[in-house]
Amino acid sequence: MEKRIPFIAANWKMYKNQAETVSFLKELQSAVGPCTDREVMIAPPSTALAAARGAMNLPGYHLAGQNCHWEEKGAFTGEVSGPMLKEVGCDCVILGHSERRHIFGETDDMIQKKLTAAFRWDLLPILCVGELLPDREAGKTFDVVSLQVKTAVQGLTREQSQKLIIAYEPVWAIGTGKTATPEQAQEVHAFIRGLCASLFDKAIANQTRILYGGSVKPDNVDALMAQPDIDGLLVGGASLEVSSFQRIVQFQSVEK
Ligand code: PGA
């Protein structure tokens, strides 16, 4: 089986201005150094992307937008396009985050168009999926996640599906302090990997990186990363302080 390189991503949401971004990145890189056995991704707000690019100078670090529109340009007030993200130095983009879905009304069809567009502009997409608490309580977790993944990946080429990163983020665990247990997360990650095997093929499924997100903290990172199908993390709150994000990036690795 091809080794899946751990991918540790920070989603800063609507936090940090340019100065805060630059000082965070300088401190983080001097604490962590270049990354070779893991990849680190930082997604600052759009207004801090260019400043972040200027401050990122070590191998193994990626810069991401938190969202992007599917068109190259047009009358879409408030939106940012893939080429615009590329221009400021992004190589990744987060798509379908639960806050985009549930606060701003993004649908699976919109996310499908964005995913295709991200590949068109050579941005590596992190596709976020996850169920709401009532879905979980009604035993619908797999149905919800399955529909989100299936719809989003429609139309991807084989080469594109090989690169895709999926983040499983149970909505009830985001920003709530209620992390899914490592077993709960592993169960859904294994399900998503099986889904990738049926949608693409087994070889692609084995190399697809599936991240967990939702109240990841320094004290639960090692147990989460020890799960066989958890290949990385998407971190919100705990990515805003250098010390906690550094500890998460430097999770204790186990042979899987
Ligand atoms: P959280 O956010 O770590 O603060 O729960 C995760 C996310 O929204 O990606």
Side-chain angles (χ1 to χ4, degrees):
M1 188 179 81
E2 203 170 315
K3 203 164 152 19
R4 300 187 292 267
I5 299 171
F7 194 93
I8 312 296
N11 173 15
W12 286 354
K13 311 189 181 191
M14 203 171 69
Y15 293 98
K16 292 198 192 293
N17 60 24
Q18 298 187 50
E20 290 162 342
T21 297
V22 169
S23 78
F24 180 104
L25 288 173
K26 283 189 177 155
E27 218 184 300
L28 180 74
Q29 291 173 108
S30 78
V32 173
C35 290
T36 48
D37 63 346
R38 64 203 63 198
E39 293 174 54
V40 175
M41 186 198 92
I42 309 285
S46 301
T47 48
L49 283 169
R53 179 74 278 162
M56 285 166 84
N57 46 26
L58 292 181
Y61 291 77
H62 300 273
L63 182 63
Q66 297 177 10
N67 180 28
C68 85
H69 196 270
W70 55 86
E71 294 289 346
E72 178 187 357
K73 52 180 134 177
F76 302 106
T77 302
E79 293 289 313
V80 168
S81 75
M84 292 168 183
L85 292 180
K86 285 293 285 192
E87 188 192 26
V88 290
C90 291
D91 58 347
C92 299
V93 62
I94 298 172
L95 294 177
H97 187 275
S98 77
E99 285 146 22
R100 299 296 322 164
R101 292 176 186 265
H102 300 295
I103 303 177
F104 299 104
E106 283 191 15
T107 63
D108 286 327
D109 290 332
M110 290 160 84
I111 294 158
Q112 185 271 333
K113 286 199 267 183
K114 290 173 180 225
L115 198 66
T116 309
F119 279 116
R120 191 180 332 127
W121 308 118
D122 195 26
L123 288 162
L124 178 64
I126 321 302
L127 167 66
C128 302
V129 298
E131 81 287 1
L132 295 160
L133 188 57
D135 299 327
R136 175 160 283 263
E137 287 172 347
K140 290 189 191 147
T141 298
F142 291 163
D143 293 346
V144 170
V145 166
S146 162
L147 182 67
Q148 289 173 334
V149 174
K150 273 187 195 156
T151 312
V153 303
Q154 269 168 34
L156 293 192
T157 65
R158 186 183 162 81
E159 201 200 344
Q160 291 168 341
S161 54
Q162 276 171 330
K163 295 184 190 150
L164 178 67
I165 295 180
I166 299 174
Y168 168 59
E169 299 202 297
V171 182
W172 47 272
I174 296 179
T176 57
K178 268 192 244 161
T179 328
T181 64
E183 295 72 26
Q184 279 174 322
Q186 166 58 27
E187 185 187 28
V188 183
H189 280 233
F191 172 78
I192 294 173
R193 199 171 306 288
L195 190 62
C196 290
S198 68
L199 291 170
F200 312 130
D201 63 41
K202 220 165 167 224
I204 293 181
N206 277 337
Q207 73 184 61
T208 300
R209 286 181 288 181
I210 307 173
L211 320 182
Y212 169 78
S215 297
V216 175
K217 304 278 180 253
D219 63 5
N220 57 29
V221 60
D222 297 334
L224 287 162
M225 285 304 291
Q227 295 298 317
D229 288 294
I230 299 186
D231 309 310
L233 304 159
L234 182 53
V235 189
S239 74
L240 294 170
E241 296 293 331
V242 173
S243 58
S244 59
F245 190 58
Q246 177 192 348
R247 172 65 183 86
I248 291 169
V249 168
Q250 294 174 326
F251 69 91
Q252 236 154 26
S253 61
V254 288
E255 253 331 292
K256 295 192 192 173

mmCIF file of all heavy atoms in Angstrom, residues 8-13 15-16 20-29 31-32 40-43 61 216-219 235-250:
data_model
loop_
_atom_site.group_PDB
_atom_site.id
_atom_site.type_symbol
_atom_site.label_atom_id
_atom_site.label_comp_id
_atom_site.label_asym_id
_atom_site.label_seq_id
_atom_site.Cartn_x
_atom_site.Cartn_y
_atom_site.Cartn_z
ATOM 1 N N ILE A 8 -1.624 18.089 7.864
ATOM 2 C CA ILE A 8 -2.167 18.799 9.031
ATOM 3 C C ILE A 8 -2.531 20.220 8.592
ATOM 4 O O ILE A 8 -1.664 21.002 8.216
ATOM 5 C CB ILE A 8 -1.128 18.869 10.182
ATOM 6 C CG1 ILE A 8 -0.493 17.486 10.445
ATOM 7 C CG2 ILE A 8 -1.757 19.448 11.442
ATOM 8 C CD1 ILE A 8 -1.432 16.420 10.938
ATOM 9 N N ALA A 9 -3.839 20.522 8.638
ATOM 10 C CA ALA A 9 -4.321 21.771 8.058
ATOM 11 C C ALA A 9 -4.916 22.693 9.117
ATOM 12 O O ALA A 9 -5.639 22.241 10.013
ATOM 13 C CB ALA A 9 -5.371 21.458 6.998
ATOM 14 N N ALA A 10 -4.604 23.970 8.994
ATOM 15 C CA ALA A 10 -5.167 24.993 9.883
ATOM 16 C C ALA A 10 -6.216 25.786 9.126
ATOM 17 O O ALA A 10 -5.940 26.320 8.051
ATOM 18 C CB ALA A 10 -4.058 25.940 10.343
ATOM 19 N N ASN A 11 -7.408 25.854 9.682
ATOM 20 C CA ASN A 11 -8.466 26.681 9.100
ATOM 21 C C ASN A 11 -8.705 27.842 10.054
ATOM 22 O O ASN A 11 -9.297 27.658 11.108
ATOM 23 C CB ASN A 11 -9.742 25.830 8.937
ATOM 24 C CG ASN A 11 -10.927 26.666 8.507
ATOM 25 O OD1 ASN A 11 -10.773 27.798 8.059
ATOM 26 N ND2 ASN A 11 -12.129 26.115 8.633
ATOM 27 N N TRP A 12 -8.231 29.002 9.656
ATOM 28 C CA TRP A 12 -8.316 30.150 10.570
ATOM 29 C C TRP A 12 -9.666 30.863 10.512
ATOM 30 O O TRP A 12 -9.891 31.821 11.256
ATOM 31 C CB TRP A 12 -7.192 31.148 10.264
ATOM 32 C CG TRP A 12 -5.852 30.684 10.735
ATOM 33 C CD1 TRP A 12 -5.577 29.561 11.480
ATOM 34 C CD2 TRP A 12 -4.588 31.341 10.524
ATOM 35 N NE1 TRP A 12 -4.229 29.474 11.736
ATOM 36 C CE2 TRP A 12 -3.593 30.549 11.160
ATOM 37 C CE3 TRP A 12 -4.198 32.490 9.860
ATOM 38 C CZ2 TRP A 12 -2.239 30.891 11.142
ATOM 39 C CZ3 TRP A 12 -2.850 32.837 9.845
ATOM 40 C CH2 TRP A 12 -1.886 32.045 10.488
ATOM 41 N N LYS A 13 -10.536 30.482 9.610
ATOM 42 C CA LYS A 13 -11.858 31.113 9.514
ATOM 43 C C LYS A 13 -11.692 32.639 9.434
ATOM 44 O O LYS A 13 -10.787 33.103 8.768
ATOM 45 C CB LYS A 13 -12.735 30.669 10.696
ATOM 46 C CG LYS A 13 -12.703 29.140 10.855
ATOM 47 C CD LYS A 13 -13.674 28.589 11.833
ATOM 48 C CE LYS A 13 -13.486 27.065 11.894
ATOM 49 N NZ LYS A 13 -14.542 26.400 12.607
ATOM 50 N N TYR A 15 -10.379 34.873 11.402
ATOM 51 C CA TYR A 15 -9.464 35.311 12.454
ATOM 52 C C TYR A 15 -8.114 35.671 11.835
ATOM 53 O O TYR A 15 -7.688 35.008 10.892
ATOM 54 C CB TYR A 15 -9.235 34.199 13.490
ATOM 55 C CG TYR A 15 -10.453 33.858 14.302
ATOM 56 C CD1 TYR A 15 -11.249 32.769 13.950
ATOM 57 C CD2 TYR A 15 -10.818 34.614 15.419
ATOM 58 C CE1 TYR A 15 -12.373 32.437 14.695
ATOM 59 C CE2 TYR A 15 -11.941 34.292 16.168
ATOM 60 C CZ TYR A 15 -12.717 33.205 15.800
ATOM 61 O OH TYR A 15 -13.821 32.878 16.534
ATOM 62 N N LYS A 16 -7.452 36.631 12.393
ATOM 63 C CA LYS A 16 -6.084 37.080 12.116
ATOM 64 C C LYS A 16 -6.002 38.064 10.949
ATOM 65 O O LYS A 16 -6.464 37.794 9.842
ATOM 66 C CB LYS A 16 -5.122 35.907 11.846
ATOM 67 C CG LYS A 16 -4.861 35.049 13.084
ATOM 68 C CD LYS A 16 -3.627 34.202 12.915
ATOM 69 C CE LYS A 16 -3.553 33.152 14.014
ATOM 70 N NZ LYS A 16 -3.339 33.731 15.360
ATOM 71 N N GLU A 20 -0.718 39.657 12.272
ATOM 72 C CA GLU A 20 -0.825 38.448 13.118
ATOM 73 C C GLU A 20 -0.462 37.193 12.320
ATOM 74 O O GLU A 20 0.150 36.260 12.836
ATOM 75 C CB GLU A 20 -2.259 38.319 13.658
ATOM 76 C CG GLU A 20 -2.619 39.371 14.686
ATOM 77 C CD GLU A 20 -4.127 39.532 14.904
ATOM 78 O OE1 GLU A 20 -4.937 39.081 14.044
ATOM 79 O OE2 GLU A 20 -4.498 40.118 15.920
ATOM 80 N N THR A 21 -0.840 37.208 11.049
ATOM 81 C CA THR A 21 -0.543 36.067 10.179
ATOM 82 C C THR A 21 0.966 35.903 10.016
ATOM 83 O O THR A 21 1.504 34.796 10.162
ATOM 84 C CB THR A 21 -1.211 36.291 8.798
ATOM 85 O OG1 THR A 21 -2.623 36.337 8.994
ATOM 86 C CG2 THR A 21 -0.848 35.208 7.808
ATOM 87 N N VAL A 22 1.635 37.018 9.733
ATOM 88 C CA VAL A 22 3.086 36.960 9.497
ATOM 89 C C VAL A 22 3.806 36.522 10.772
ATOM 90 O O VAL A 22 4.670 35.635 10.740
ATOM 91 C CB VAL A 22 3.603 38.333 9.003
ATOM 92 C CG1 VAL A 22 5.120 38.384 9.016
ATOM 93 C CG2 VAL A 22 3.060 38.601 7.598
ATOM 94 N N SER A 23 3.419 37.077 11.920
ATOM 95 C CA SER A 23 4.168 36.695 13.123
ATOM 96 C C SER A 23 3.880 35.242 13.495
ATOM 97 O O SER A 23 4.789 34.520 13.903
ATOM 98 C CB SER A 23 3.948 37.673 14.277
ATOM 99 O OG SER A 23 2.726 37.431 14.878
ATOM 100 N N PHE A 24 2.671 34.768 13.302
ATOM 101 C CA PHE A 24 2.363 33.345 13.554
ATOM 102 C C PHE A 24 3.226 32.451 12.668
ATOM 103 O O PHE A 24 3.837 31.483 13.146
ATOM 104 C CB PHE A 24 0.872 33.087 13.266
ATOM 105 C CG PHE A 24 0.449 31.649 13.483
ATOM 106 C CD1 PHE A 24 -0.266 31.277 14.611
ATOM 107 C CD2 PHE A 24 0.782 30.666 12.564
ATOM 108 C CE1 PHE A 24 -0.649 29.949 14.824
ATOM 109 C CE2 PHE A 24 0.406 29.332 12.757
ATOM 110 C CZ PHE A 24 -0.316 28.992 13.890
ATOM 111 N N LEU A 25 3.281 32.766 11.388
ATOM 112 C CA LEU A 25 3.995 31.877 10.452
ATOM 113 C C LEU A 25 5.496 31.867 10.722
ATOM 114 O O LEU A 25 6.141 30.823 10.622
ATOM 115 C CB LEU A 25 3.691 32.274 9.006
ATOM 116 C CG LEU A 25 2.266 31.929 8.578
ATOM 117 C CD1 LEU A 25 1.965 32.502 7.205
ATOM 118 C CD2 LEU A 25 2.044 30.418 8.576
ATOM 119 N N LYS A 26 6.039 33.018 11.078
ATOM 120 C CA LYS A 26 7.478 33.059 11.399
ATOM 121 C C LYS A 26 7.750 32.176 12.609
ATOM 122 O O LYS A 26 8.675 31.367 12.610
ATOM 123 C CB LYS A 26 7.918 34.503 11.696
ATOM 124 C CG LYS A 26 8.075 35.307 10.423
ATOM 125 C CD LYS A 26 8.720 36.653 10.691
ATOM 126 C CE LYS A 26 8.926 37.394 9.375
ATOM 127 N NZ LYS A 26 8.969 38.832 9.553
ATOM 128 N N GLU A 27 6.913 32.323 13.630
ATOM 129 C CA GLU A 27 7.115 31.567 14.866
ATOM 130 C C GLU A 27 6.919 30.059 14.628
ATOM 131 O O GLU A 27 7.713 29.236 15.091
ATOM 132 C CB GLU A 27 6.091 32.062 15.898
ATOM 133 C CG GLU A 27 6.622 32.150 17.313
ATOM 134 C CD GLU A 27 5.519 32.544 18.282
ATOM 135 O OE1 GLU A 27 4.930 33.642 18.114
ATOM 136 O OE2 GLU A 27 5.215 31.763 19.173
ATOM 137 N N LEU A 28 5.883 29.738 13.897
ATOM 138 C CA LEU A 28 5.609 28.309 13.650
ATOM 139 C C LEU A 28 6.756 27.652 12.879
ATOM 140 O O LEU A 28 7.235 26.582 13.248
ATOM 141 C CB LEU A 28 4.305 28.140 12.859
ATOM 142 C CG LEU A 28 3.946 26.682 12.557
ATOM 143 C CD1 LEU A 28 3.440 25.973 13.816
ATOM 144 C CD2 LEU A 28 2.889 26.571 11.454
ATOM 145 N N GLN A 29 7.197 28.323 11.817
ATOM 146 C CA GLN A 29 8.252 27.717 11.002
ATOM 147 C C GLN A 29 9.564 27.616 11.777
ATOM 148 O O GLN A 29 10.293 26.640 11.617
ATOM 149 C CB GLN A 29 8.462 28.512 9.715
ATOM 150 C CG GLN A 29 7.277 28.378 8.764
ATOM 151 C CD GLN A 29 7.409 29.300 7.569
ATOM 152 O OE1 GLN A 29 7.658 28.870 6.458
ATOM 153 N NE2 GLN A 29 7.269 30.583 7.804
ATOM 154 N N ALA A 31 9.750 27.125 14.937
ATOM 155 C CA ALA A 31 9.574 26.054 15.928
ATOM 156 C C ALA A 31 9.558 24.667 15.279
ATOM 157 O O ALA A 31 10.107 23.714 15.824
ATOM 158 C CB ALA A 31 8.271 26.274 16.693
ATOM 159 N N VAL A 32 8.945 24.561 14.118
ATOM 160 C CA VAL A 32 8.740 23.232 13.492
ATOM 161 C C VAL A 32 9.834 22.908 12.473
ATOM 162 O O VAL A 32 10.226 21.745 12.317
ATOM 163 C CB VAL A 32 7.338 23.167 12.821
ATOM 164 C CG1 VAL A 32 7.149 21.887 12.020
ATOM 165 C CG2 VAL A 32 6.235 23.302 13.859
ATOM 166 N N VAL A 40 1.990 20.548 6.016
ATOM 167 C CA VAL A 40 1.241 21.499 6.835
ATOM 168 C C VAL A 40 0.545 22.468 5.891
ATOM 169 O O VAL A 40 1.147 22.921 4.913
ATOM 170 C CB VAL A 40 2.203 22.278 7.767
ATOM 171 C CG1 VAL A 40 1.471 23.361 8.540
ATOM 172 C CG2 VAL A 40 2.903 21.323 8.726
ATOM 173 N N MET A 41 -0.713 22.757 6.167
ATOM 174 C CA MET A 41 -1.445 23.710 5.324
ATOM 175 C C MET A 41 -2.045 24.793 6.208
ATOM 176 O O MET A 41 -2.584 24.488 7.271
ATOM 177 C CB MET A 41 -2.564 22.971 4.576
ATOM 178 C CG MET A 41 -3.300 23.828 3.570
ATOM 179 S SD MET A 41 -4.905 23.117 3.107
ATOM 180 C CE MET A 41 -5.973 23.914 4.310
ATOM 181 N N ILE A 42 -1.949 26.034 5.745
ATOM 182 C CA ILE A 42 -2.521 27.157 6.495
ATOM 183 C C ILE A 42 -3.549 27.851 5.606
ATOM 184 O O ILE A 42 -3.258 28.202 4.462
ATOM 185 C CB ILE A 42 -1.436 28.194 6.883
ATOM 186 C CG1 ILE A 42 -0.229 27.531 7.568
ATOM 187 C CG2 ILE A 42 -2.034 29.312 7.745
ATOM 188 C CD1 ILE A 42 -0.422 27.101 8.993
ATOM 189 N N ALA A 43 -4.756 28.047 6.148
ATOM 190 C CA ALA A 43 -5.807 28.759 5.404
ATOM 191 C C ALA A 43 -6.207 30.021 6.162
ATOM 192 O O ALA A 43 -7.109 30.002 6.991
ATOM 193 C CB ALA A 43 -7.014 27.848 5.197
ATOM 194 N N TYR A 61 5.122 23.287 3.439
ATOM 195 C CA TYR A 61 4.015 24.146 3.890
ATOM 196 C C TYR A 61 3.159 24.573 2.689
ATOM 197 O O TYR A 61 3.697 25.004 1.672
ATOM 198 C CB TYR A 61 4.550 25.400 4.584
ATOM 199 C CG TYR A 61 5.200 25.118 5.922
ATOM 200 C CD1 TYR A 61 6.487 24.584 5.986
ATOM 201 C CD2 TYR A 61 4.526 25.356 7.114
ATOM 202 C CE1 TYR A 61 7.083 24.308 7.215
ATOM 203 C CE2 TYR A 61 5.118 25.088 8.342
ATOM 204 C CZ TYR A 61 6.395 24.566 8.380
ATOM 205 O OH TYR A 61 6.981 24.293 9.594
ATOM 206 N N VAL A 216 -10.242 19.278 17.332
ATOM 207 C CA VAL A 216 -8.918 18.654 17.485
ATOM 208 C C VAL A 216 -8.099 19.551 18.415
ATOM 209 O O VAL A 216 -8.080 20.767 18.246
ATOM 210 C CB VAL A 216 -8.195 18.516 16.128
ATOM 211 C CG1 VAL A 216 -6.781 17.993 16.329
ATOM 212 C CG2 VAL A 216 -8.991 17.616 15.188
ATOM 213 N N LYS A 217 -7.456 18.930 19.405
ATOM 214 C CA LYS A 217 -6.668 19.672 20.394
ATOM 215 C C LYS A 217 -5.368 18.914 20.646
ATOM 216 O O LYS A 217 -5.269 17.727 20.322
ATOM 217 C CB LYS A 217 -7.443 19.743 21.741
ATOM 218 C CG LYS A 217 -8.828 20.339 21.650
ATOM 219 C CD LYS A 217 -8.823 21.867 21.665
ATOM 220 C CE LYS A 217 -10.213 22.448 21.581
ATOM 221 N NZ LYS A 217 -10.616 23.054 20.362
ATOM 222 N N PRO A 218 -4.389 19.590 21.285
ATOM 223 C CA PRO A 218 -3.142 18.877 21.602
ATOM 224 C C PRO A 218 -3.377 17.587 22.388
ATOM 225 O O PRO A 218 -2.653 16.616 22.207
ATOM 226 C CB PRO A 218 -2.362 19.895 22.445
ATOM 227 C CG PRO A 218 -2.834 21.222 21.941
ATOM 228 C CD PRO A 218 -4.296 21.028 21.621
ATOM 229 N N ASP A 219 -4.412 17.557 23.233
ATOM 230 C CA ASP A 219 -4.565 16.353 24.059
ATOM 231 C C ASP A 219 -5.348 15.217 23.387
ATOM 232 O O ASP A 219 -5.465 14.141 23.952
ATOM 233 C CB ASP A 219 -5.159 16.697 25.441
ATOM 234 C CG ASP A 219 -6.559 17.269 25.328
ATOM 235 O OD1 ASP A 219 -7.121 17.317 24.209
ATOM 236 O OD2 ASP A 219 -7.113 17.680 26.368
ATOM 237 N N VAL A 235 -7.899 21.700 11.492
ATOM 238 C CA VAL A 235 -7.969 22.251 12.841
ATOM 239 C C VAL A 235 -8.426 23.699 12.808
ATOM 240 O O VAL A 235 -7.830 24.522 12.096
ATOM 241 C CB VAL A 235 -6.574 22.175 13.510
ATOM 242 C CG1 VAL A 235 -6.681 22.529 14.987
ATOM 243 C CG2 VAL A 235 -5.948 20.801 13.315
ATOM 244 N N GLY A 236 -9.457 24.024 13.570
ATOM 245 C CA GLY A 236 -9.933 25.401 13.652
ATOM 246 C C GLY A 236 -9.336 26.095 14.871
ATOM 247 O O GLY A 236 -8.201 26.573 14.845
ATOM 248 N N GLY A 237 -10.081 26.103 15.971
ATOM 249 C CA GLY A 237 -9.696 26.853 17.173
ATOM 250 C C GLY A 237 -8.258 26.624 17.621
ATOM 251 O O GLY A 237 -7.535 27.578 17.918
ATOM 252 N N ALA A 238 -7.840 25.375 17.655
ATOM 253 C CA ALA A 238 -6.498 25.061 18.182
ATOM 254 C C ALA A 238 -5.386 25.391 17.187
ATOM 255 O O ALA A 238 -4.214 25.188 17.490
ATOM 256 C CB ALA A 238 -6.426 23.592 18.595
ATOM 257 N N SER A 239 -5.753 25.905 16.009
ATOM 258 C CA SER A 239 -4.701 26.299 15.050
ATOM 259 C C SER A 239 -4.373 27.785 15.173
ATOM 260 O O SER A 239 -3.530 28.296 14.458
ATOM 261 C CB SER A 239 -5.135 25.984 13.613
ATOM 262 O OG SER A 239 -6.123 26.901 13.175
ATOM 263 N N LEU A 240 -5.049 28.482 16.083
ATOM 264 C CA LEU A 240 -4.852 29.933 16.176
ATOM 265 C C LEU A 240 -3.697 30.326 17.091
ATOM 266 O O LEU A 240 -3.230 31.452 17.059
ATOM 267 C CB LEU A 240 -6.152 30.602 16.651
ATOM 268 C CG LEU A 240 -7.327 30.506 15.664
ATOM 269 C CD1 LEU A 240 -8.623 30.962 16.320
ATOM 270 C CD2 LEU A 240 -7.056 31.322 14.406
ATOM 271 N N GLU A 241 -3.261 29.400 17.938
ATOM 272 C CA GLU A 241 -2.111 29.634 18.816
ATOM 273 C C GLU A 241 -0.958 28.798 18.305
ATOM 274 O O GLU A 241 -1.128 27.598 18.048
ATOM 275 C CB GLU A 241 -2.427 29.163 20.251
ATOM 276 C CG GLU A 241 -3.536 29.923 20.938
ATOM 277 C CD GLU A 241 -3.164 31.365 21.222
ATOM 278 O OE1 GLU A 241 -1.960 31.637 21.413
ATOM 279 O OE2 GLU A 241 -4.067 32.218 21.199
ATOM 280 N N VAL A 242 0.227 29.403 18.217
ATOM 281 C CA VAL A 242 1.379 28.648 17.711
ATOM 282 C C VAL A 242 1.636 27.409 18.562
ATOM 283 O O VAL A 242 1.832 26.313 18.042
ATOM 284 C CB VAL A 242 2.654 29.529 17.666
ATOM 285 C CG1 VAL A 242 3.871 28.696 17.298
ATOM 286 C CG2 VAL A 242 2.478 30.653 16.659
ATOM 287 N N SER A 243 1.618 27.564 19.904
ATOM 288 C CA SER A 243 2.002 26.427 20.748
ATOM 289 C C SER A 243 1.066 25.234 20.537
ATOM 290 O O SER A 243 1.528 24.096 20.411
ATOM 291 C CB SER A 243 2.037 26.830 22.215
ATOM 292 O OG SER A 243 0.772 27.328 22.582
ATOM 293 N N SER A 244 -0.247 25.464 20.461
ATOM 294 C CA SER A 244 -1.140 24.309 20.311
ATOM 295 C C SER A 244 -1.068 23.743 18.892
ATOM 296 O O SER A 244 -1.051 22.526 18.705
ATOM 297 C CB SER A 244 -2.582 24.627 20.717
ATOM 298 O OG SER A 244 -3.090 25.671 19.954
ATOM 299 N N PHE A 245 -0.948 24.612 17.895
ATOM 300 C CA PHE A 245 -0.876 24.065 16.527
ATOM 301 C C PHE A 245 0.455 23.329 16.313
ATOM 302 O O PHE A 245 0.490 22.288 15.665
ATOM 303 C CB PHE A 245 -1.082 25.159 15.482
ATOM 304 C CG PHE A 245 -1.249 24.602 14.092
ATOM 305 C CD1 PHE A 245 -2.270 23.700 13.797
ATOM 306 C CD2 PHE A 245 -0.374 24.946 13.074
ATOM 307 C CE1 PHE A 245 -2.418 23.158 12.522
ATOM 308 C CE2 PHE A 245 -0.513 24.422 11.793
ATOM 309 C CZ PHE A 245 -1.539 23.521 11.520
ATOM 310 N N GLN A 246 1.519 23.860 16.907
ATOM 311 C CA GLN A 246 2.817 23.187 16.798
ATOM 312 C C GLN A 246 2.730 21.767 17.370
ATOM 313 O O GLN A 246 3.207 20.803 16.774
ATOM 314 C CB GLN A 246 3.877 23.980 17.562
ATOM 315 C CG GLN A 246 5.235 23.298 17.557
ATOM 316 C CD GLN A 246 6.213 23.907 18.551
ATOM 317 O OE1 GLN A 246 5.971 24.981 19.108
ATOM 318 N NE2 GLN A 246 7.316 23.232 18.776
ATOM 319 N N ARG A 247 2.088 21.632 18.521
ATOM 320 C CA ARG A 247 1.953 20.302 19.143
ATOM 321 C C ARG A 247 1.138 19.360 18.246
ATOM 322 O O ARG A 247 1.413 18.169 18.146
ATOM 323 C CB ARG A 247 1.280 20.452 20.514
ATOM 324 C CG ARG A 247 0.906 19.142 21.185
ATOM 325 C CD ARG A 247 2.127 18.304 21.545
ATOM 326 N NE ARG A 247 1.766 17.002 22.120
ATOM 327 C CZ ARG A 247 1.506 15.904 21.420
ATOM 328 N NH1 ARG A 247 1.536 15.928 20.095
ATOM 329 N NH2 ARG A 247 1.199 14.777 22.019
ATOM 330 N N ILE A 248 0.135 19.938 17.580
ATOM 331 C CA ILE A 248 -0.703 19.123 16.692
ATOM 332 C C ILE A 248 0.101 18.698 15.465
ATOM 333 O O ILE A 248 0.069 17.532 15.056
ATOM 334 C CB ILE A 248 -2.002 19.886 16.333
ATOM 335 C CG1 ILE A 248 -2.874 20.003 17.582
ATOM 336 C CG2 ILE A 248 -2.762 19.202 15.200
ATOM 337 C CD1 ILE A 248 -4.060 20.935 17.474
ATOM 338 N N VAL A 249 0.855 19.645 14.902
ATOM 339 C CA VAL A 249 1.704 19.294 13.747
ATOM 340 C C VAL A 249 2.705 18.210 14.149
ATOM 341 O O VAL A 249 2.978 17.281 13.389
ATOM 342 C CB VAL A 249 2.456 20.552 13.230
ATOM 343 C CG1 VAL A 249 3.543 20.178 12.236
ATOM 344 C CG2 VAL A 249 1.476 21.534 12.601
ATOM 345 N N GLN A 250 3.203 18.336 15.371
ATOM 346 C CA GLN A 250 4.210 17.359 15.840
ATOM 347 C C GLN A 250 3.541 16.217 16.611
ATOM 348 O O GLN A 250 4.032 15.801 17.653
ATOM 349 C CB GLN A 250 5.248 18.071 16.705
ATOM 350 C CG GLN A 250 6.051 19.067 15.875
ATOM 351 C CD GLN A 250 7.003 19.916 16.702
ATOM 352 O OE1 GLN A 250 6.717 20.260 17.836
ATOM 353 N NE2 GLN A 250 8.138 20.261 16.115
#
